[in-house]
Amino acid sequence: MSFRRSLKLVCGFAGGSAVLVVAATAAESHGCFGDQRNGWWSRSSVIHAAQPSWNPASHTPAPTGQAWDFNWDKRDPATLSNGKKKESAAEDPSSEQENGKPKATRNILLIRHSQYNLSGNGDKERILTPLGREQADLTGQRLAALGLKYDVLVHSSMARATETAHIISKYLPGVELVSCDLLREGAPIEPVPPVTHWKPDAVYHEDGARIEAAFRRYIHRADPKQKEDSYEIIVCHANVIRYFVCRALQFPPEGWLRMGLNNGSITWLTIRPSGRVALRTLGDSGFMPPDKLTRT
C-alpha cells in the first residue's frame, strides 16, 4: 500500500491526525512494527493506536444539581397536618394519612396565544391578526380532536390571550371560561445567559412575583378530594409558559428564555398524585400547516 493510501486510510478512521500518520509511516519503513503480514498488521496497529480507548466510566454523565423535591408544591401529604383532633384513641394515623393522599392526576395544557398585531397601541389594540384567528381555530380543533373531558379553560386577561381562548372555546362547548390577571405576560426572572436585545417593560421582581403566584395557583398536584383525573386548559403567554415548565420540572428557572414556542402551540404537563411531573409535549404545533406557523 502506497504512502498516500496509508495516509487516507488512517486519517479516515482517526480523524485526520497527520502527525500520527507520518510517524507511523516512518516507523513502518524502518521495520519498527515487526511482522507486517502482507502490510496489514502494521496499519491496523496504527489505526488502533489512533482510536481513543472506550472507558464506560469516563463516558457516563455524572448527576448534577439537587435530588427531586417531592414537596415542591407544599402539598406532600407526609408533611401536612390538618390539626384536627382524632375522634377516637384507636384511630389509625396511617389510615388518616392515606385518606389525605391525592389519588387523581392533573393534566395541564398550556396554550400560547395566536399571532397578534404587534403595532397596536396598547393591549386593547394588540388583537389577533387574520392568521392568528386561523391559528386559534386550528388549536381549538386539535384540542377537540383529542377527545378529552376538559374541566376548565383559564386565560390571561390580555386581549390576545382572551381572543384566542374565546375562539378555542367554540370547539369545546360547555367548558367554563375563566379570566385571570396573574397569567398576563411579563418578565418572570432575569434570564441566564443574559440578553441585550430584549428588555422588559416591567421590573423583573414585580412581574416575577406575579408569575410565581400564578404558578403556585395553577401548577400543583390534585387535591385529595379530587376523585378523577382532570384536564385543564390555560391560554397565556410564552414567557409564562416557559417559566412554568422550568419550575414544574425543577430546572433552573433562569433558563426559561432558552426555549421557543410557536403561536397557538400546546405544552402539556402531567402532575401525578405523588408529586412527580412529566412534560408530555413542549410547544406542539405539528397540527398546523407549515405556512401557518409563526412565533411572534
Side-chain angles (χ1 to χ4, degrees), residues 5 40 46 64 90 97 101 123 167 223 249 259 277-279:
R5 292 183 64 188
W40 171 248
V46 174
T64 59
Q97 184 176 339
K101 285 184 177 181
D123 177 56
I167 293 174
D223 187 274
L249 298 179
M259 297 176 278
V277 181
L279 180 64

Side-chain angles (χ1 to χ4, degrees), residues 43-244:
R43 291 173 178 82
S44 65
S45 299
V46 174
I47 295 171
H48 179 75
Q51 303 301 310
S53 58
W54 174 259
N55 182 357
S58 65
H59 290 77
T60 302
T64 59
Q66 300 178 350
W68 180 263
D69 177 13
F70 279 93
N71 194 32
W72 59 272
D73 59 352
K74 309 305 178 188
R75 294 171 183 246
D76 185 350
T79 65
L80 295 177
S81 175
N82 57 20
K84 294 181 180 180
K85 295 182 179 179
K86 295 183 176 62
E87 295 183 0
S88 67
E91 187 175 347
D92 185 1
S94 62
S95 176
E96 181 182 359
Q97 184 176 339
E98 187 67 27
N99 292 334
K101 285 184 177 181
K103 300 174 178 60
T105 295
R106 294 186 68 220
N107 294 274
I108 303 170
L109 288 84
L110 302 162
I111 313 298
R112 190 191 174 195
H113 61 78
S114 302
Q115 185 191 64
Y116 68 102
N117 176 24
L118 288 169
S119 61
N121 185 20
D123 177 56
K124 291 184 178 180
E125 294 184 7
R126 293 175 182 172
I127 58 177
L128 300 186
T129 64
L131 175 57
R133 290 190 286 274
E134 287 186 62
Q135 293 170 338
D137 279 320
L138 291 168
T139 303
Q141 293 168 17
R142 173 59 175 169
L143 291 170
L146 291 176
L148 302 173
K149 182 182 177 182
Y150 300 107
D151 297 88
V152 66
L153 198 170
V154 185
H155 62 85
S156 158
S157 57
M158 297 187 80
R160 54 189 182 271
T162 299
E163 189 176 358
T164 300
H166 280 269
I167 293 174
I168 290 175
S169 69
K170 296 189 304 181
Y171 300 92
L172 307 174
V175 178
E176 180 184 9
L177 270 170
V178 178
S179 179
C180 179
D181 288 335
L182 293 178
L183 294 168
R184 294 173 71 89
E185 182 65 302
I189 186 173
E190 189 169 359
V192 176
V195 293
T196 57
H197 64 278
W198 183 76
K199 296 180 180 179
D201 295 328
V203 180
Y204 284 109
H205 72 265
E206 293 178 354
D207 281 355
R210 172 178 55 78
I211 296 172
E212 173 64 19
F215 174 82
R216 296 185 185 191
R217 173 177 291 187
Y218 295 110
I219 313 298
H220 56 78
R221 77 192 75 190
D223 187 274
K225 296 178 181 179
Q226 182 177 323
K227 303 303 180 183
E228 298 181 354
D229 295 350
S230 59
Y231 297 87
E232 303 159 48
I233 301 171
I234 299 177
V235 179
C236 54
H237 309 270
N239 296 355
V240 177
I241 294 172
R242 293 181 286 188
Y243 178 78
F244 280 10

